[in-house]
Amino acid sequence: AGSPKQSAPAQMEDVLRADYGDAAQKALNDAARAKSKPSSTARRERPPAPELPAMERDKPYRPPFWESKKFGEPYGDFNRVAKPKAVVVVPKPPAGVPTTDLKGRPVLRDNATMRASGKLSTGKAGGAAAVAPVAALAKKTGRLSVKEEEAIDAAYRHNLAVGNRLQELEEQMRLALKARRQLHCAERELLMNAFARVDPDKTRVVSVERFVEVWKTFGVDVTDREARAAFNKYGQTRDGSLPYPVFTEALLVGKARLVGMSSEVRRGAFPLNRPAEEYQFHGKILYPQCRKGVFTPSGWDGSPARRSCKAPDATMELTWVHGYARDCLANNLFYTATGEIVYFTAALGIVYDKDAHSQRFFTGHDDDVKCLAMSNARDLCASGQVGKYPYVCVWDPATCEEKKKLRHPAVRGIAAVGFCRDAKLLASVGMDNNHTIFVWDWRAGKCAHEVKGHTDVPPKVYGIAFDPFGPDPTAFLSYGVNHIKWWSKPEGSKTYAEESGKFAPAAKKHAVMSAAWLPSGRCVTGTPDGAIAVWDSRERKCVRVVRAHAAGPQVTREDGPPTHHGVRCLRLRADHKTLLSAGADGHVISWDVSSGDLKEGSVLGATPVKRRSGSDTPNPPVFRGLDCAPGSDVFVAGTHRSEVWEIDDTPRVLIHGHSGDLYGVAWNPAAPTEFATASEGEHVHVWCAASRKLQRAVALGSKARCVGYSPDGGELAVGCKNGGVHVLDAKSLIRLKWMKTLGEYVTDVKFSPDGELLAAASADQRIDVYERKGGYKKIATCRGHSATVRHLDWCAESKILRTVCGAYEILYFDARTGRQVTANQRDTKWATWTSVLGFDVMGIWRDGSDGTDINACDVSKSRRHVACADDFGGVSLLNYPCVVEDAPCAVGRGHSSHVMNVRFSPDDDWVVSVGGKDRAVFQWRFKEKVRETHKTAPAPWEAAEAELRGKARGAAAPGGTRSAAPWETPPALKQ
């Protein structure tokens, strides 16, 4: 505590003296400590903030090959702006001189008088050649005089006078040089020698007159106006001369390299609804979703951008949906009072008329539909969806018109829904952790009751069923994982009370998969092992378990643990005497419940559900939905294969679908109404768009991800998840070849336009090319991408491949050698355009979207429209090319979550989109308001013309299928 200059022993001695009672020493120590320690009230100085680096600014444009150290600042079209207006600078008036009159109006003064007195000056702002107009100011700052500046400015004022004539002139110059070249004197040396002869002083610049003179020696007539246009394009010095080394290099260098060297860069797509002049940009464009820039095509005049600003002059109408939502917790398949069939797929409610083979759609949902209920009168439907603030729609199946929309709080989604006996009340179950049950007076739009259904991580409640026979029409039961609960309102109570069912001793606790009420008041429920449990509703306990169906294959429960499929479907016929049950063994069993009970010997019969010609898989169908036709013995069933069956004397499939995630779709070029789809359910389906039916199908034995037809329509290539590629005969679907050269899943397969090559892109960042004539021998591997290759397209000449990867990069490859092509391909004609990146489609991306929000796109064969599939359940239609930001579009809704692919038909009459997780195939009828002939010559920037219309084939004979293996007899039928 002593002075800091003291030694350590001396300081210690001072401390000890103070501790032993030396008051004077203690005071000295305290004073020294206070002096050395900063005051707590003193404000501490903050360290200076680190200096931030200056913001990077765009560099001024330099023409290709321009050397500023030799020729100074370049002038030309690239830095010319509108001639600025003169800015009048009025000095502050001297003190005491009023600037306004008594009424506040400005006092006007004589400008000539003020200018003579030196109090008024003029100036110009902006422009590369803008100078001060006052000679005195020019001398003071060392700049040129007004006359000198105007003379220089006039030298490059004629910048747009020749239009596209300059491009034709440049081509004539190149041809003239090529015709005069010799073995040891190339075009560049010829032109440099010619310029040197008119430049005896070796200034390396020429005037307009000398430029015209040089080209006259080569037999090319150049006018003064055309020469000035060339000077403006390639850059000129301050005195209006052209550096001929710069011009020579730029004229003779490759066109693609010249574009790449241009440092004129635009950021983002063109703005919406701007004057045509703003779209006449030539150079490089950078936008966030593309890692490398794209270039405007040669001959781009900006006129197509005006069409991009307009709404698409075409429509898409949804006409058919293939598929059925198999991932449901409760029954989702019903007959209407008129015999039509109601179910849901993706975000659509579908009403199917089997007699007319037509569909109607309820489109009131904007996200995945998870549950469906039908009133007892079969005249009302209720469907619930997922979402942060989900809702239930009550709608009329006869007209598909919405009756009421019941908005719920933040419960993540609706797991189950059900009508009461007279359809006055509607109950719904949320997907929150409490599985909140809402009871609605739906016609008034009010929630009458809200109770906790079951506390656990969702989904644990599978369904809800009102009592259709008891004295209390408002009573209902809910069921799910390891529980069943009865809900009723006791006398005098304003809310519902629950009573849980007791499983023991008749049964072990299990997940209740389905439930139905019997007229006696008893309930029957399905179990995971295929049995049916009978419950006494009064005592709330299980009284017996009856053997019914086989347990079926092991599956993963919705909340994670493994289980068996069990009995998912229980339905009481309209006579209230017969119960139907369906499980995982391919049989629908009829039970006699006329006594009000279900026992072992109550079986009336069992109906196996299988195709008459045999099945393409040895496994029987697993049932997820079931309903009985009113007034008949016919019933309808939905299976795990996303199929809808109607079972009568001749069982048949009404609706076909895929059983796995759906990614691939392709049209047959030789048959405009035929297309193929491929899914991870190990199947490839071939459909007819006109008849809306499945033509033929084949089981591959491996999960499929993409599909592509050969140009003649004779072969079909299928890329698989294991990295293999199948080549099938398009008619019989018999495998012709199997290649396994890729390590990860195949993302895209396409035949070359001439049909000689097949390219397959994969997730291992490479593309393999196979030769068709050589038995699909691999001839090249294209490497260079740093992420999964997502899309590929062939050029019209079948030489170049364009590929797009998950790292937002566009690369080009020579298909025969596999080498990367670094030359600019802005003028290459493409046979197809399915890549989501590029100049022609840079406007399809919405504000704030990343490079994964659009999964696929396709350009119509008329080259007038582009369709896009996005992550938000939409199929967007825009005018092509789409080069402006926020381009107007028409969006088709109905898919849930990610739409994985979309394709136009060869005759532009149809658009087909496929959803990934919803496993649905949507057919859209496409109609152009003004249909143009496809024989019109394309613009220079447009992609190549392709074969557009093929002669439709006759219906191909269905391929052979393997016969089904013998099915296991249901336990209920065993002695």
Side-chain angles (χ1 to χ4, degrees):
S3 173
K5 296 182 180 180
Q6 291 180 314
S7 62
Q11 291 182 8
M12 181 60 68
E13 186 177 353
D14 292 343
V15 172
L16 293 176
R17 286 179 182 176
D19 291 343
Y20 280 99
D22 190 338
Q25 186 62 47
K26 184 177 181 181
L28 292 174
N29 292 350
D30 292 341
R33 188 181 299 110
K35 186 176 181 181
S36 61
K37 183 178 181 181
S39 173
S40 60
T41 60
R43 183 175 181 180
R44 297 183 180 180
E45 295 184 0
R46 294 183 178 180
E51 184 177 354
L52 297 177
M55 182 179 64
E56 183 179 356
R57 301 183 182 276
D58 292 336
K59 297 180 180 179
Y61 177 76
R62 293 290 182 271
F65 305 104
W66 185 275
E67 298 181 57
S68 298
K69 292 182 178 180
K70 294 182 179 180
F71 307 114
E73 184 75 9
Y75 295 96
D77 293 343
F78 39 83
N79 57 9
R80 290 299 298 156
V81 296
K83 193 171 183 64
K85 297 180 180 180
V87 179
V88 178
V89 182
V90 180
K92 185 177 180 180
V97 178
T99 59
T100 59
D101 58 14
L102 296 177
K103 294 184 179 181
R105 294 174 296 189
V107 175
L108 300 178
R109 304 182 186 280
D110 185 5
N111 290 341
T113 304
M114 296 187 68
R115 187 179 294 108
S117 63
K119 296 181 179 180
L120 179 66
S121 61
T122 60
K124 295 183 181 180
V131 296
V134 182
L137 181 60
K139 292 180 180 180
K140 182 178 180 180
T141 57
R143 303 178 68 175
L144 299 176
S145 66
V146 178
K147 292 183 178 180
E148 292 174 333
E149 189 69 34
E150 289 180 352
I152 296 172
D153 182 58
Y156 50 93
R157 190 173 295 163
H158 310 284
N159 47 356
L160 295 177
V162 297
N164 292 330
R165 165 61 182 157
L166 185 58
Q167 295 181 11
E168 301 174 3
L169 185 63
E170 291 170 349
E171 190 61 28
Q172 293 179 17
M173 293 175 178
R174 296 188 187 98
L175 292 176
L177 292 172
K178 186 176 181 180
R180 289 166 174 79
R181 68 180 180 181
Q182 299 176 5
L183 178 61
H184 299 291
C185 188
E187 294 96 322
R188 182 175 287 100
E189 189 175 354
L190 274 174
L191 187 55
M192 287 293 292
N193 292 339
F195 279 122
R197 284 193 291 269
V198 298
D199 180 27
D201 298 333
K202 298 183 179 181
T203 59
R204 302 179 72 83
V205 296
V206 292
S207 63
V208 172
E209 294 77 11
R210 299 300 183 190
F211 183 84
V212 173
E213 179 183 344
V214 166
W215 283 110
K216 186 175 292 186
T217 61
F218 290 102
V220 179
D221 294 330
V222 181
T223 64
D224 287 354
R225 189 178 296 273
E226 292 169 346
R228 293 185 188 279
F231 281 32
N232 286 336
K233 177 179 178 180
Y234 293 100
Q236 55 190 311
T237 61
R238 193 176 187 85
D239 60 356
S241 300
L242 174 70
Y244 56 82
V246 172
F247 172 77
T248 302
E249 293 292 338
L251 178 69
L252 298 177
V253 76
K255 187 183 300 184
R257 184 184 172 195
L258 183 63
V259 173
M261 293 181 61
S262 174
S263 58
E264 188 174 4
V265 176
R266 176 185 181 85
R267 300 191 181 277
F270 295 114
L272 183 66
N273 294 329
R274 295 295 178 87
E277 298 78 32
E278 295 195 24
Y279 300 139
Q280 295 175 353
F281 172 82
H282 292 270
K284 187 176 183 179
I285 300 177
L286 297 175
Y287 62 100
Q289 293 79 17
C290 189
R291 183 177 176 183
K292 293 184 177 179
V294 296
F295 294 89
T296 54
S298 299
W300 173 260
D301 59 1
S303 58
R306 297 295 301 168
R307 186 170 179 271
S308 296
C309 299
K310 300 177 182 179
D313 52 355
T315 59
M316 287 195 316
E317 180 186 1
L318 183 62
T319 60
W320 192 264
V321 175
H322 299 280
Y324 156 79
R326 66 169 198 172
D327 296 330
C328 53
L329 300 175
N331 186 33
N332 64 346
L333 188 63
F334 303 94
Y335 276 105
T336 66
T338 59
E340 295 177 313
I341 299 172
V342 180
Y343 59 98
F344 67 82
T345 296
L348 293 175
I350 301 177
V351 182
Y352 171 61
D353 184 347
K354 62 181 180 180
D355 296 328
H357 191 56
S358 63
Q359 294 177 338
R360 300 191 302 275
F361 308 103
F362 174 72
T363 58
H365 292 283
D366 58 8
D367 213 328
D368 302 26
V369 178
K370 285 298 182 182
C371 55
L372 181 68
M374 176 74 74
S375 64
N376 288 342
R378 298 181 181 272
D379 59 350
L380 288 174
C381 291
S383 51
Q385 69 168 56
V386 297
K388 183 177 181 180
Y389 297 101
Y391 53 82
V392 171
C393 290
V394 181
W395 48 285
D396 184 353
T399 61
C400 289
E401 294 181 356
E402 183 180 293
K403 297 292 186 181
K404 205 70 178 181
K405 181 175 290 186
L406 308 175
R407 298 191 178 276
H408 290 60
V411 293
R412 303 190 188 113
I414 308 300
V417 66
F419 284 103
C420 73
R421 186 184 312 172
D422 53 8
K424 292 182 178 179
L425 297 179
L426 176 73
S428 57
V429 181
M431 290 185 179
D432 56 328
N433 288 4
N434 291 324
H435 294 84
T436 306
I437 298 177
F438 303 88
V439 181
W440 300 81
D441 179 0
W442 67 269
R443 297 183 189 275
K446 295 181 179 179
C447 180
H449 305 280
E450 181 179 336
V451 294
K452 291 183 179 180
H454 187 75
T455 303
D456 205 341
V457 178
K460 291 296 191 298
V461 176
Y462 290 167
I464 194 167
F466 277 87
D467 183 359
F469 306 109
D472 184 5
T474 65
F476 63 89
L477 63 83
S478 62
Y479 58 90
V481 177
N482 298 336
H483 77 277
I484 180 171
K485 297 181 180 181
W486 280 261
W487 300 84
S488 59
K489 288 194 297 182
E491 295 184 6
S493 175
K494 295 183 179 181
T495 186
Y496 279 86
E498 69 170 272
E499 293 184 69
S500 297
K502 299 177 182 178
F503 290 85
K508 295 181 180 180
K509 183 172 286 190
H510 58 267
V512 179
M513 313 301 292
S514 55
W517 291 84
L518 299 181
S520 62
R522 291 200 166 188
C523 296
V524 290
T525 60
T527 68
D529 58 4
I532 299 177
V534 182
W535 297 80
D536 187 336
S537 300
R538 296 179 181 178
E539 298 183 4
R540 316 299 197 213
K541 69 176 184 179
C542 179
V543 296
R544 75 175 64 87
V545 176
V546 179
R547 294 184 304 160
H549 297 270
Q554 191 177 61
V555 295
T556 302
R557 209 166 67 189
E558 284 76 2
D559 57 337
T563 185
H564 290 278
H565 187 279
V567 179
R568 293 287 184 107
C569 306
L570 291 171
R571 199 68 177 166
L572 189 66
R573 285 193 180 274
D575 60 3
H576 298 165
K577 297 179 181 179
T578 307
L579 178 74
L580 297 183
S581 66
D585 55 9
H587 290 77
V588 178
I589 301 177
S590 301
W591 304 82
D592 180 8
V593 291
S594 57
S595 63
D597 202 355
L598 180 68
K599 299 180 180 179
E600 290 281 350
S602 302
V603 178
L604 296 176
T607 304
V609 179
K610 62 174 67 176
R611 292 179 176 84
R612 287 175 295 173
S613 60
S615 174
D616 56 358
T617 174
N619 299 320
V622 176
F623 294 103
R624 306 303 295 259
L626 182 69
D627 196 22
C628 310
S632 72
D633 295 335
V634 178
F635 58 91
V636 65
T639 72
H640 75 298
R641 298 176 190 148
S642 300
E643 297 173 337
V644 176
W645 286 71
E646 188 173 60
I647 294 92
D648 50 14
D649 295 337
T650 56
R652 63 189 184 279
V653 180
L654 301 178
I655 303 295
H656 290 86
H658 282 278
S659 59
D661 294 354
L662 190 55
Y663 294 92
V665 60
W667 286 87
N668 188 338
T673 61
E674 183 177 289
F675 65 95
T677 55
S679 76
E680 291 191 353
E682 302 184 359
H683 284 75
V684 172
H685 289 177
V686 179
W687 313 83
C688 177
S691 64
R692 305 181 295 278
K693 292 182 179 180
L694 179 68
Q695 296 290 92
R696 49 195 178 274
V698 64
L700 294 176
S702 53
K703 297 181 178 180
R705 293 289 299 238
C706 53
V707 63
Y709 276 96
S710 61
D712 58 3
E715 295 180 1
L716 183 65
V718 184
C720 299
K721 193 173 182 179
N722 60 6
V725 178
H726 295 267
V727 179
L728 311 176
D729 180 81
K731 291 183 178 180
S732 63
L733 298 184
I734 296 175
R735 189 170 71 184
L736 304 177
K737 187 68 176 180
W738 159 253
M739 297 92 75
K740 182 66 172 67
T741 61
L742 298 168
E744 297 188 33
Y745 63 89
V746 182
T747 57
D748 199 0
V749 289
K750 282 188 177 70
F751 283 89
S752 60
D754 59 10
E756 294 183 0
L757 303 177
L758 171 66
S762 73
D764 55 4
Q765 308 170 13
R766 62 190 175 104
I767 305 99
D768 283 356
V769 182
Y770 310 92
E771 190 171 28
R772 189 177 177 187
K773 292 183 179 179
Y776 290 97
K777 179 182 178 181
K778 188 176 76 169
I779 61 172
T781 296
C782 307
R783 303 179 185 271
H785 282 287
S786 59
T788 299
V789 183
R790 297 173 58 193
H791 309 282
L792 67 87
D793 290 293
W794 285 90
C795 74
E797 293 79 14
S798 303
K799 296 179 180 179
I800 304 296
L801 278 172
R802 175 183 59 199
T803 58
V804 172
C805 71
Y808 320 140
E809 188 175 28
I810 307 175
L811 295 181
Y812 304 93
F813 297 94
D814 186 313
R816 289 284 180 178
T817 64
R819 295 178 181 176
Q820 185 174 340
V821 178
T822 57
N824 193 286
Q825 302 295 316
R826 68 172 186 165
D827 294 325
T828 303
K829 298 179 180 180
W830 300 102
T832 59
W833 193 297
T834 59
S835 301
V836 296
L837 300 179
F839 171 78
D840 292 26
V841 294
M842 64 181 179
I844 65 177
W845 301 90
R846 304 289 101 177
D847 287 342
S849 61
D850 60 24
T852 63
D853 287 342
I854 295 180
N855 301 308
C857 74
D858 191 32
V859 175
S860 65
K861 304 307 178 287
S862 66
R863 302 290 173 175
R864 291 177 51 83
H865 301 91
V866 58
C868 305
D870 60 39
D871 278 355
F872 312 106
V875 179
S876 303
L877 180 68
L878 307 97
N879 285 331
Y880 177 84
C882 184
V883 295
V884 300
E885 298 174 341
D886 299 321
C889 64
V891 182
R893 298 291 182 184
H895 280 287
S896 59
S897 191
H898 302 347
V899 187
M900 299 309 301
N901 217 330
V902 62
R903 290 291 184 266
F904 280 93
S905 65
D907 55 4
D908 281 350
D909 284 342
W910 302 91
V911 174
V912 169
S913 59
V914 295
K917 297 295 182 182
D918 62 24
R919 306 178 181 91
V921 181
F922 281 32
Q923 283 186 209
W924 309 83
R925 189 69 175 180
F926 179 74
K927 295 182 180 179
E928 288 185 345
K929 297 178 182 178
V930 180
R931 178 75 68 119
E932 293 187 355
T933 61
H934 297 170
K935 296 181 180 180
T936 304
W941 50 267
E942 286 181 325
E945 292 184 68
E947 290 280 333
L948 302 178
R949 298 179 184 272
K951 296 182 179 180
R953 291 183 184 174
T961 55
R962 294 177 294 173
S963 59
W967 289 354
E968 181 183 358
T969 303
L973 304 182
K974 294 180 180 179
Q975 298 296 331

